[in-house]
Amino acid sequence: MMKETSNVSPTDNSVRGTIIDEKGVPLPGVSVAIKGTSTGVISDINGYYIINAKAGDILVFSFVGFKSQEITVGKKPALDIVMKEDVHELEETVIVGMGKQRKASVIGSISSVSIKELEVPQRNLTNALSGRIAGAVVVQRSGEPGQDNADFWVRGISSFGANQKPLVLVDGVERDMSDLSIEEVESISILKDASATAVYGVRAANGVVLVTTRKGVAQKPVIEVKLETGFSDLPTMPKLLDGANYALLANEALGTENYTPEYIDNLRNGTNPFLYPNVNWMDQLFRKYSTNTNAAINIRGGGERARYYISASFIEDNGNLKNNPEADYKSNISLRRYNFRSNIDLTLTKTTNLSLEIGANMTDMHQPGLGNEYVDNRWFSPVELLYYYSYLSNPLSAPVRVPIGKDAFGNTEWGWGAPSQVGEVNPAERLFGSGYNKSFRSQIMSQITLKQDLSFLLKGLDIQASFSFDANNQTIQNRRKNSSTYNITGVDDETGEFQVAEITKGNEFLGYNVTPSSNRAEELKVQLNYNQIFNEAHRVGAMAMYYQRDYVDQTAGSSIKSLPYKKQGLALRTTYAFKDRYFAEFNMGYNGSENFPKGKRFGLFPAGALGYLISNESFWPFKAVNVLKIRGSVGLVGSESLPDNMRFGYLSYFGEGLGGYYFGMAPSFHEGIGEDQIGVADLTWEKGFKKDIGIELKMFDSMVSLDLDYFHEKRSDILIQRQSVPATMGVIKQPFANMGVMVNQGIDGTLEFNHSIGDFRYKLYGNFTYTHNEIKEMDEAQKKYAYRMQTGHRYGQHFGLIALGLFQDQKEINESPEQKFGDVRPGDVKYLDYNEDGVVDEDDKCPIGYSSVPEIVYGFGAQLFWKGFDFGIFFRGQAHVTYGLGGDTFIPFNKGVGKGNLFEKALDRWTEDNPNPNAFYPRLSNGASSNNWQSSTRTIYNGRLLRLADLELGYTFKKSWIAPIGMKSLRIYCLANNVALFAPWDMWDPETASFNGSKYPLPRKVNIGIRASF
């Protein structure tokens, strides 16, 4: 017989304490017994117990739904216990839109990722998701520190409107997740179908990403420490042609001997590099190895009244540019980020809880003094601009440095070499002599939440209100200059010294310019929740929420954009489950937008889902299948973004119109006035009608698990700017209209296998996503041939001619259909007459390849564990993707012979001596051949790839070894990221989508680290 705690009197041998769960809630009715005896008590309504026991006795704590614990009584009479839930797989909690649900009752399409899998040397949290989650299409276009944010879509692209990216919520608040530290994240989930996203209404058309940060738990304080450092290199740098071969190809393209054999021999032999420069500009700018470091410390614990999680972390990521030893500042890229988080949960009363979340990060960025600017109407980052200058130059342009005289001590003074061609610059001078940029970026996130249990009014009812305030600030400080450049004009016959002329006069001092930017956002949410079980069979749930958001760009460039961006809405969810077998759910969002006129500002977005957990049926005969769930959903979601970040599309704007005019006897200029934007009074929401059907399967006691979904979405009323309005109408800017229609469909799934053989345990896992979209209507002007229209094809589809090879001789040219793109000679590209009309012209350009967004993405890997050792390997890949080719350096002598660099690949070209019809390049010419560089199958490349993304080997020390020094756990490891790339395209990393290899490659990193807890 167990005795109530109140019936036990304290004695000298009594042990007493409080029993709580991990959230700090007291647990009444917990059985406390002395092992091996019949003595025992039960905790009271406050979780308090007292039992007569002596030192050395073993107390057994047990309670339904919680893991039993055995604790040996020590010398102290106080013994507080934290009970951990014994959660069955189907009872696990899953983060859903605006709340949580039991895993068994989730019938929306939701994918999540283990945080352990994201602990890789990546500064950007978004990049770490690539290939990890079914339904997430994540591609990283650059590895340049600070410029490496990945493109991210959920289930591909469903709209060609302004808004294509998912809604990202951190702790329920609309925030950027890229600068969060992985150490502060508890879970990441992606909501993919209408049932999962409808409660977000207008914001959820493209899916929702939920990031939840770590919270405190009731336990003794646990301190976790991580230290990690390593090196990085750039494995896929473009290979430039050397000077001697450059001169040979220049002569070939020009058709005359512009560079003499003697000159070429001097280049090949390295004779006098000041007179015969032979410079690989990439070697001058980039170094082989760089370093990276990250460290973190966090403390987690608490008790009945308060739980806390506090963390701080640091990351340093250095680029692979060289530094100038003569300057007082670095020219290499360096990024340092500091993260801090404090999440505190307070139990004010038995029914009232208060949560306070504060997170902050600060990024300190150092770059060379160029870039972050438009050049030739293109935006360039610092490294992209260095590529641009390196491609604009060539190995013969100029020596890197030239001797310009002697100082007072007789030492040689050096200056930067001046390029020989007009418009070229010395890339090394731009790196080492341009000064530097500094940027300081900070993000502060705060939220306070008050939750009140209303079970005294209605059992299972609670209400919570939260308010968040976020502030983002950035200051860019430019300290730039230009250095002087010099040219060697001759050699002094008497002294043999070079005669030097100053070509450009530089600045002695650094300039100074500061650009600030800042914004802030406020959110208010009030949420009512209800959950209850009736007759142990009927599980009913409901949620209702009011939401509003206010965002202000405090450094906006116009008065219109300085006005607050306001959002407002209501959300509703109802759920029902019968005996955990049959499930139904209804969701609804009702949202408003400022972009539409009164009467059309609010939209209703409903969704419903049904599920059947057939494996819970009493008649289920297949014991090997422990979980089989079939689910389906259908619903409506919305989007309201205008193109080019414009606002108030229903209003007409008046400005300078078509320009100004001169008037009067002595003409003076007067500004004109006109309708710059035509307002459209009937603008409305972009609507997405989503359908999803899925299956969840677990076999052999969850040894094998499979989640598989088919999805289909029809996006209508896509908000576009008209394309078919004729110029004769006289409008300055095409008006908006809800005219676009697009369909997107595909499958995604996850497969996992877990097994143990004695001390050996292993896990095999993988995920796969396939998406395909098609434009149904985009107000496209009708073309002569339907196959030339974007309508009816995938979004971003490449169009061009089909190349058949290279013409071998004039006879083949004469016998082929006439090509209407200028003169055609042997060695030029031969194209298919697609419409068979006897000529090859613009009408023969047809769909080729795919788009630049992969239709297929996948990831797979394995984890092995044996006696403290662990090994992990992970691959990720993409397919059904095509990227364009062109621009300087890729097109040999694009601007003429002697202008621009060349790749080593240029040696693989058609020549009269080697008329290879399958050569990579056609015949070389002085300037780009209009025939050879038409958009065609020769100006795109296959972006398919398989990347060995991660390799990790670690060892965890036995607890008995480290306990004497106060440690709870200790693990050492070696981790390699971006280890190897397997792809048909080998000139640069295809994931960067570059048309000429001018993107900073994705770095390969090898780190060693240690993780410990105390």
Side-chain angles (χ1 to χ4, degrees):
M1 288 287 292
M2 293 291 180
K3 301 178 181 178
E4 293 292 339
T5 294
S6 56
N7 295 333
V8 179
S9 301
T11 69
D12 291 340
N13 290 328
S14 63
V15 177
R16 69 200 73 186
T18 303
I19 305 173
I20 57 177
D21 64 12
E22 289 181 296
K23 297 179 181 179
V25 177
L27 294 176
V30 177
S31 169
V32 185
I34 300 176
K35 188 174 183 179
T37 73
S38 60
T39 303
V41 297
I42 294 174
S43 60
D44 65 14
I45 193 172
N46 298 313
Y48 181 76
Y49 76 95
I50 180 171
I51 187 171
N52 292 325
K54 60 182 182 298
D57 285 344
I58 298 175
L59 297 185
V60 180
F61 298 84
S62 57
F63 190 52
V64 176
F66 289 81
K67 295 179 180 179
S68 297
Q69 295 187 40
E70 295 186 1
I71 306 294
T72 302
V73 177
K75 296 181 180 179
K76 297 181 179 179
L79 186 59
D80 294 332
I81 300 297
V82 179
M83 301 286 286
K84 296 183 178 180
E85 287 188 80
D86 186 10
V87 182
H88 185 272
E89 186 172 36
L90 294 178
E91 297 291 332
E92 292 177 3
T93 298
V94 176
I95 304 296
V96 298
M98 299 184 182
K100 299 178 181 180
Q101 288 184 10
R102 296 164 56 251
K103 189 172 184 177
S105 54
V106 172
I107 51 177
S109 183
I110 301 174
S111 293
S112 59
V113 62
S114 168
I115 298 303
K116 286 285 293 180
E117 296 177 12
L118 304 182
E119 292 174 349
V120 294
Q122 285 275 14
R123 175 200 68 86
N124 192 307
L125 183 59
T126 307
N127 296 346
L129 295 177
S130 183
R132 299 284 185 178
I133 309 182
V137 179
V138 182
V139 287
Q140 187 177 342
R141 301 306 194 192
S142 172
E144 183 175 351
Q147 310 284 336
D148 54 355
N149 288 1
D151 287 332
F152 186 11
W153 302 273
V154 172
R155 287 181 166 174
I157 296 178
S158 298
S159 171
F160 52 85
N163 183 18
Q164 298 176 342
K165 301 299 176 66
L167 170 69
V168 177
L169 301 174
V170 179
D171 289 330
V173 180
E174 193 172 333
R175 292 166 172 158
D176 182 17
M177 65 181 276
S178 58
D179 280 321
L180 290 179
S181 168
I182 188 61
E183 307 301 326
E184 59 186 301
V185 175
E186 185 77 49
S187 66
I188 299 178
S189 300
I190 297 181
L191 314 184
K192 298 181 290 188
D193 69 340
S195 174
T197 62
V199 289
Y200 297 103
V202 67
R203 301 186 293 162
N206 304 305
V208 180
V209 181
L210 301 180
V211 182
T212 304
T213 60
R214 298 177 72 181
K215 304 295 190 291
V217 295
Q219 65 179 21
K220 292 181 179 180
V222 174
I223 302 173
E224 296 177 335
V225 177
K226 182 186 81 168
L227 297 171
E228 188 176 300
T229 188
F231 67 89
S232 64
D233 70 335
L234 304 178
T236 52
M237 289 289 291
K239 294 180 174 60
L240 299 180
L241 191 63
D242 66 275
N245 280 307
Y246 184 93
L248 286 171
L249 296 192
N251 287 345
E252 182 181 315
L254 198 59
T256 62
E257 192 178 271
N258 188 54
Y259 298 101
T260 65
E262 180 186 4
Y263 185 91
I264 294 172
D265 285 341
N266 287 332
L267 291 172
R268 189 172 284 119
N269 298 327
T271 304
N272 201 331
F274 302 114
L275 295 179
Y276 304 97
N278 184 359
V279 182
N280 186 311
W281 293 109
M282 291 297 174
D283 290 345
Q284 297 298 319
L285 303 179
F286 291 89
R287 59 182 176 179
K288 179 63 177 174
Y289 296 108
S290 189
T291 59
N292 69 92
T293 302
N294 63 82
I297 182 172
N298 61 71
I299 306 173
R300 195 178 198 183
E304 179 182 354
R305 291 298 180 187
R307 280 80 56 205
Y308 55 86
Y309 174 80
I310 301 172
S311 73
S313 62
F314 166 79
I315 186 170
E316 181 179 48
D317 196 6
N318 295 307
N320 287 70
L321 297 176
K322 292 182 177 179
N323 284 313
N324 183 359
E326 299 177 3
D328 295 331
Y329 51 84
K330 294 182 178 180
S331 50
N332 189 21
I333 299 173
S334 177
L335 181 147
R336 293 184 174 185
R337 191 187 70 202
Y338 308 84
N339 289 70
F340 170 79
R341 177 162 296 277
S342 173
N343 289 346
I344 299 175
D345 298 303
L346 301 174
T347 301
L348 303 181
T349 70
K350 292 181 180 179
T351 60
T352 309
N353 289 283
L354 180 70
S355 299
L356 177 62
E357 303 161 1
I358 298 176
N361 60 74
M362 187 192 79
T363 302
D364 183 351
M365 185 82 179
H366 179 97
Q367 300 170 316
L370 76 166
N372 301 323
E373 58 187 303
Y374 284 96
V375 177
D376 293 342
N377 297 317
R378 282 176 53 205
W379 177 263
F380 290 88
S381 72
V383 173
E384 288 171 354
L385 195 52
L386 288 173
Y387 269 100
Y388 174 79
Y389 290 141
S390 298
Y391 286 2
L392 198 63
S393 302
N394 65 65
L396 316 180
S397 293
V400 179
R401 304 291 296 270
V402 296
I404 59 175
K406 305 276 187 184
D407 62 15
F409 301 99
N411 299 315
T412 301
E413 292 184 321
W414 297 88
W416 297 106
S420 56
Q421 295 283 350
V422 175
E424 291 183 14
V425 298
N426 185 324
E429 181 276 326
R430 286 291 73 210
L431 173 62
F432 301 123
S434 61
Y436 63 89
N437 305 327
K438 295 279 287 186
S439 68
F440 306 90
R441 184 175 71 247
S442 63
Q443 179 185 24
I444 298 175
M445 302 163 282
S446 63
Q447 182 169 220
I448 186 169
T449 302
L450 183 66
K451 184 175 182 179
Q452 176 64 53
D453 189 341
L454 300 178
S455 294
F456 58 89
L457 296 177
L458 178 64
K459 188 177 180 181
L461 183 68
D462 66 71
I463 187 172
Q464 68 179 47
S466 62
F467 174 78
S468 68
F469 176 83
D470 294 358
N472 299 277
N473 297 279
Q474 178 172 273
T475 300
I476 300 175
Q477 184 185 96
N478 294 326
R479 305 299 311 275
R480 300 188 176 188
K481 71 167 188 173
N482 291 300
S483 298
S484 299
T485 60
Y486 303 85
N487 194 8
I488 295 177
T489 58
V491 181
D492 191 298
D493 292 335
E494 295 181 3
T495 64
E497 294 183 352
F498 294 116
Q499 296 172 336
V500 180
E502 186 178 63
I503 304 302
T504 59
K505 181 70 175 177
N507 312 110
E508 187 177 351
F509 302 104
L510 295 172
Y512 181 76
N513 176 264
V514 173
T515 305
S517 62
S518 64
N519 61 72
R520 60 97 177 140
E522 299 174 358
E523 285 193 14
L524 174 66
K525 297 190 286 285
V526 180
Q527 183 171 338
L528 196 65
N529 302 297
Y530 174 73
N531 286 285
Q532 191 56 265
I533 302 176
F534 299 96
N535 299 327
E536 298 184 355
H538 305 277
R539 189 183 297 268
V540 178
M543 181 278 297
M545 171 184 278
Y546 169 78
Y547 157 90
Q548 69 178 41
R549 176 178 171 86
D550 184 287
Y551 170 87
V552 177
D553 184 350
Q554 295 169 306
T555 51
S558 67
S559 58
I560 290 291
K561 293 184 179 180
S562 70
L563 296 173
Y565 294 72
K566 293 181 179 291
K567 294 179 181 178
Q568 190 178 35
L570 298 172
L572 173 70
R573 176 191 296 119
T574 58
T575 61
Y576 172 75
F578 176 69
K579 293 186 176 181
D580 278 348
R581 299 173 191 168
Y582 312 101
F583 305 91
E585 184 173 318
F586 175 77
N587 297 274
M588 183 186 73
Y590 182 70
N591 302 91
S593 170
E594 61 181 20
N595 281 330
F596 307 117
K598 288 185 178 180
K600 295 192 174 183
R601 285 184 180 163
F602 287 85
L604 184 66
F605 303 96
L610 295 173
Y612 181 25
L613 189 55
I614 190 172
S615 56
N616 272 8
E617 292 282 9
S618 57
F619 61 76
W620 182 248
F622 307 107
K623 300 300 182 182
V625 180
N626 48 296
V627 175
L628 177 60
K629 183 197 293 185
I630 301 171
R631 49 180 170 74
S633 67
V634 62
L636 195 67
V637 293
S639 179
E640 48 90 31
S641 295
L642 295 176
D644 300 322
N645 201 29
M646 297 186 67
R647 304 182 69 183
F648 313 119
Y650 59 92
L651 296 178
S652 294
Y653 292 98
F654 288 83
E656 296 179 3
L658 295 174
Y661 59 95
Y662 288 90
F663 184 76
M665 296 296 292
S668 59
F669 184 78
H670 298 267
E671 295 286 353
I673 187 169
E675 198 171 19
D676 286 350
Q677 175 183 303
I678 298 176
V680 181
D682 61 350
L683 285 183
T684 185
W685 307 94
E686 179 178 318
K687 303 174 186 67
F689 184 62
K690 293 176 179 275
K691 292 173 282 186
D692 185 282
I693 185 168
I695 182 173
E696 297 176 21
L697 174 69
K698 295 184 185 296
M699 302 173 62
F700 311 115
D701 291 329
S702 299
M703 179 188 298
V704 178
S705 62
L706 171 69
D707 285 4
L708 187 65
D709 284 80
Y710 166 77
F711 57 89
H712 181 282
E713 177 180 359
K714 182 178 181 180
R715 191 73 64 92
S716 59
D717 289 337
I718 297 176
L719 200 57
I720 61 172
Q721 284 186 280
R722 297 290 303 273
Q723 297 189 51
S724 61
V725 176
T728 53
M729 186 174 175
V731 296
I732 297 173
K733 186 177 292 185
Q734 295 277 21
F736 297 113
N738 294 103
M739 294 188 66
V741 180
M742 186 169 169
V743 170
N744 182 45
Q745 60 183 323
I747 59 172
D748 60 44
T750 301
L751 180 64
E752 194 171 298
F753 181 84
N754 292 273
H755 191 48
S756 298
I757 305 173
D759 293 332
F760 179 65
R761 179 167 56 91
Y762 63 97
K763 172 184 174 182
L764 307 176
Y765 60 96
N767 68 82
F768 178 86
T769 302
Y770 168 75
T771 69
H772 177 76
N773 58 53
E774 183 179 327
I775 298 172
K776 296 296 187 180
E777 173 58 54
M778 60 178 297
D779 191 33
E780 182 180 15
Q782 188 67 38
K783 293 183 178 179
K784 181 179 179 180
Y785 295 100
Y787 61 78
R788 294 202 60 221
M789 298 184 65
Q790 295 181 59
T791 306
H793 296 102
R794 61 174 60 83
Y795 174 75
Q797 172 70 56
H798 288 272
F799 287 82
L801 301 167
I802 297 176
L804 301 177
L806 303 176
F807 285 114
Q808 294 306 291
D809 50 38
Q810 188 62 43
K811 181 176 181 293
E812 185 180 2
I813 295 173
N814 295 338
E815 294 176 350
S816 300
E818 182 184 2
Q819 299 188 174
K820 296 285 190 176
F821 306 110
D823 292 337
V824 180
R825 303 177 185 177
D828 284 353
V829 181
K830 179 181 180 180
Y831 299 113
L832 174 69
D833 179 12
Y834 189 80
N835 60 8
E836 299 180 344
D837 63 353
V839 295
V840 177
D841 55 15
E842 291 291 325
D843 286 338
D844 292 295
K845 291 184 176 179
C846 59
I848 55 175
Y850 301 92
S851 76
S852 60
V853 177
E855 289 187 335
I856 294 175
V857 293
Y858 58 91
F860 61 92
Q863 293 178 331
L864 314 176
F865 306 89
W866 180 73
K867 292 186 176 181
F869 289 96
D870 61 87
F871 173 76
I873 185 171
F874 177 70
F875 293 86
R876 65 178 178 89
Q878 62 180 38
H880 281 204
V881 59
T882 304
Y883 303 121
L885 290 166
D888 295 332
T889 300
F890 182 78
I891 300 178
F893 308 116
N894 188 33
K895 293 184 172 67
V897 168
K899 296 181 180 180
N901 229 316
L902 296 179
F903 292 120
E904 282 185 359
K905 199 81 168 180
L907 295 173
D908 181 12
R909 81 280 184 205
W910 186 97
T911 67
E912 292 181 358
D913 296 331
N914 181 29
N916 179 8
N918 299 312
F920 186 82
Y921 279 105
R923 70 172 178 88
L924 302 182
S925 59
N926 185 13
S929 163
S930 59
N931 178 82
N932 293 341
W933 297 106
Q934 291 292 314
S935 297
S936 74
T937 52
R938 291 182 69 93
T939 61
I940 59 175
Y941 64 98
N942 189 346
R944 185 180 79 246
L945 64 87
L946 174 64
R947 192 185 302 277
L948 176 50
D950 298 302
L951 272 176
E952 184 173 8
L953 177 65
Y955 181 75
T956 302
F957 290 81
K958 293 182 179 180
K959 291 184 178 181
S960 59
W961 295 355
I962 59 177
I965 57 175
M967 299 184 73
K968 188 176 181 181
S969 66
L970 176 63
R971 179 176 180 264
I972 56 174
Y973 59 91
C974 179
L975 173 63
N977 176 249
N978 189 25
V979 181
L981 177 66
F982 310 95
W985 182 258
D986 60 0
M987 291 182 69
W988 54 79
D989 191 329
E991 190 173 348
T992 62
S994 176
F995 61 88
N996 65 351
S998 58
K999 293 279 191 178
Y1000 193 103
L1002 274 61
R1004 174 169 47 206
K1005 297 181 179 180
V1006 179
N1007 285 17
I1008 57 173
I1010 180 172
R1011 285 181 174 271
S1013 64
F1014 304 87

